[in-house]
Amino acid sequence: MDGIRYDVAVLGGGPAGTALALALRRSAGLSVALFERSTYAHAHLGETLPPDSRRLLSQLGVWEAFARQGHVRSMGSCSRWGNSSLGYNDHLRSPWGTGWHLDRARFDRMLADEAARHGVDVRTGTAVTVWKPLEGGGHRLRLPVEGDASGAFVDARFVVDATGRSAAFATSQGAQRHTVDRTFGLCGTFALQPGRTVDALALVEASVDGWWYSARMPGDRVVFGLMGDRDSLQGLTAKDPQAWRTRMERAPETRRRLEACDFTGASLRAVPGNVACLDRLHGEDWLAVGDAACTFDPLSLQGTSQALRSAQQTADAVSRSLRGDSTALRLHEVRVRHQFQEHLRIREGYYRLERRWAGAPFWRNRQQSPAPLPFSAAPNPPSLGKNA
């Protein structure tokens, strides 16, 4: 691999990176290398895909591989938000059928395997952290080596930063992350007790501390999470699951679900939930995508589906840029900015619906106006289609 030159190097093998790598190979025929620091062995918290993801997975050429994995079908969602009654958003009328509750580790591994099958040079267990610009454009990426081996490297005409919230490459190029809202969650996944079950609806339930999320996962497991902020979750830690469970008493629908699970030996994970966006999403020969570019509120449940939805448009922008279109990346950035600001608008309205605990720290903090964004977006972003 030493000295091989690629059209595109993708740093990060989550859904945003692998979906884009697939799109670049299938639609543009570019040579692509993908570097992922993990081996997809660690468990992820569950996530839900909406029904129209079947169309997106088909466009990427991975629908059959996905269908064979046996993810749990999602019949929709329900929420207790703004009042004490449950509201439902089911998939009965969707032309695409049901959604899915994902085993994220298996899903991510499948996307990487399919990328490799379509010709992407996928390198797992490879954390690329050193790079330098090349004369004439592009970058040389230093690869980790063991022992006294000489330094290996690859060259790429273009680098995609899909390293998640760290945005490691983009920030090394001078980009800075602008945080709109700082939140975090404490989450756990528990096995169902023998003979017990929960329905196939994702549940969101507001409480004085923030909001709870729960959903059925593959393998007769259920994921639970409490999202809040530093003020509302003060004193709670991942090392004290009993205190976390005590807070659940304020969320009766969520508590009933937990009663069907085995809480013995419970362990929790702290997960970030910041809403943020880079002030600069691209340079002449690089682009940030997925969580490296923008992170949405977890309440939107859009992370993975947004990565799939944007893959083709992003691939078009990258391939056009490599063909000499000097406007492609700028127009792509306008589109992403517009989507982020639209997300903020919808998010603000949704949080304002919940007034039962207006004086509680979490809800009071969500009513405050965020600091102005250090960028603006076009109200009607232009098309980035192939014929644009």
Side-chain angles (χ1 to χ4, degrees):
M1 194 174 189
D2 189 8
I4 298 177
R5 184 174 177 86
Y6 296 89
D7 292 317
V8 181
V10 179
L11 307 184
T18 50
L20 176 56
L22 273 162
L24 287 167
R25 281 296 300 161
R26 285 173 55 83
S27 65
L30 298 172
S31 59
V32 183
L34 184 145
F35 303 96
E36 163 58 25
R37 66 171 57 243
S38 78
T39 58
Y40 300 108
H42 297 295
H44 285 260
L45 293 172
E47 194 162 341
T48 301
L49 281 183
D52 74 333
S53 297
R54 176 170 183 162
R55 172 180 59 84
L56 304 173
L57 293 165
S58 296
Q59 289 175 349
L60 290 171
V62 302
W63 165 249
E64 289 79 8
F66 172 80
R68 289 194 296 268
Q69 290 194 296
H71 298 282
V72 174
R73 291 187 177 275
S74 167
M75 305 309 296
S77 62
C78 59
S79 62
R80 175 173 278 174
W81 193 281
N83 56 57
S84 59
S85 63
L86 279 173
Y88 292 86
N89 179 23
D90 60 53
H91 298 327
L92 294 177
R93 298 181 181 179
S94 168
W96 301 103
T98 67
W100 298 271
H101 298 305
L102 299 181
D103 179 324
R104 265 293 305 278
R106 287 167 53 201
F107 178 76
D108 289 3
R109 174 79 257 182
M110 179 276 294
L111 286 179
D113 288 344
E114 288 298 295
R117 187 173 71 85
H118 283 88
V120 176
D121 192 348
V122 176
R123 300 282 168 159
T124 59
T126 305
V128 178
T129 59
V130 179
W131 41 74
K132 68 176 184 179
L134 296 171
E135 291 186 12
H139 292 266
R140 175 160 292 176
L141 310 177
R142 294 288 177 182
L143 306 181
V145 294
E146 297 181 0
D148 297 327
S150 59
F153 67 89
V154 298
D155 292 342
R157 295 169 59 199
F158 195 94
V159 174
V160 171
D161 186 343
T163 59
R165 293 174 182 270
S166 69
F169 188 91
T171 54
S172 77
Q173 305 304 303
Q176 297 183 359
R177 186 171 293 278
H178 178 82
T179 300
V180 176
D181 194 9
R182 297 184 184 277
T183 64
F184 71 97
L186 294 173
C187 306
T189 303
F190 311 110
L192 285 167
Q193 298 180 38
R196 301 294 298 274
T197 188
V198 299
D199 60 46
L201 294 171
L203 170 66
V204 173
E205 185 172 12
S207 77
V208 65
D209 302 305
W211 55 271
W212 290 86
Y213 170 81
S214 59
R216 180 77 178 266
M217 291 291 114
D220 289 332
R221 298 174 299 148
V222 184
V223 62
F224 295 85
L226 170 59
M227 297 302 301
D229 61 17
R230 183 178 59 183
D231 295 329
S232 69
L233 302 186
Q234 187 173 11
L236 280 187
T237 69
K239 296 180 180 180
D240 189 1
Q242 189 56 51
W244 176 84
R245 183 175 184 176
T246 298
R247 298 281 186 108
M248 196 184 289
E249 294 299 318
R250 304 168 181 175
E253 293 295 332
T254 306
R255 185 193 67 235
R256 277 191 279 273
R257 285 192 165 193
L258 187 66
E259 290 171 353
C261 299
D262 183 3
F263 193 71
T264 305
S267 62
L268 303 178
R269 290 173 53 190
V271 296
N274 289 353
V275 180
C277 192
L278 292 180
D279 63 353
R280 181 182 172 210
L281 301 185
H282 73 89
E284 290 186 1
D285 50 18
W286 65 268
L287 175 69
V289 301
D291 284 352
C294 299
T295 51
F296 291 174
D297 193 309
L299 186 62
S300 68
L301 305 178
Q302 290 186 14
T304 299
S305 60
Q306 180 61 26
L308 299 177
R309 190 168 288 110
S310 63
Q312 188 58 61
Q313 288 182 340
T314 307
D316 289 344
V318 171
S319 61
R320 289 173 61 182
S321 177
L322 287 173
R323 295 197 302 267
D325 185 341
S326 61
T327 67
L329 297 180
R330 179 178 60 81
L331 295 179
H332 173 77
E333 179 162 331
V334 168
R335 182 185 297 279
V336 174
R337 296 274 189 241
H338 178 82
Q339 292 171 341
F340 184 68
Q341 291 188 314
E342 183 67 5
H343 169 72
L344 295 183
R345 184 189 66 80
I346 295 172
R347 172 184 182 272
E348 180 181 7
Y350 204 69
Y351 276 111
R352 291 188 184 279
L353 289 175
E354 183 54 80
R355 304 297 300 173
R356 288 176 290 173
W357 307 285
F362 178 83
W363 300 102
R364 184 179 64 244
N365 292 345
R366 306 287 86 68
Q367 305 306 315
Q368 298 174 359
S369 298
L373 294 170
F375 48 77
S376 60
N380 295 298
S383 170
L384 285 177
K386 292 182 179 180
N387 298 321

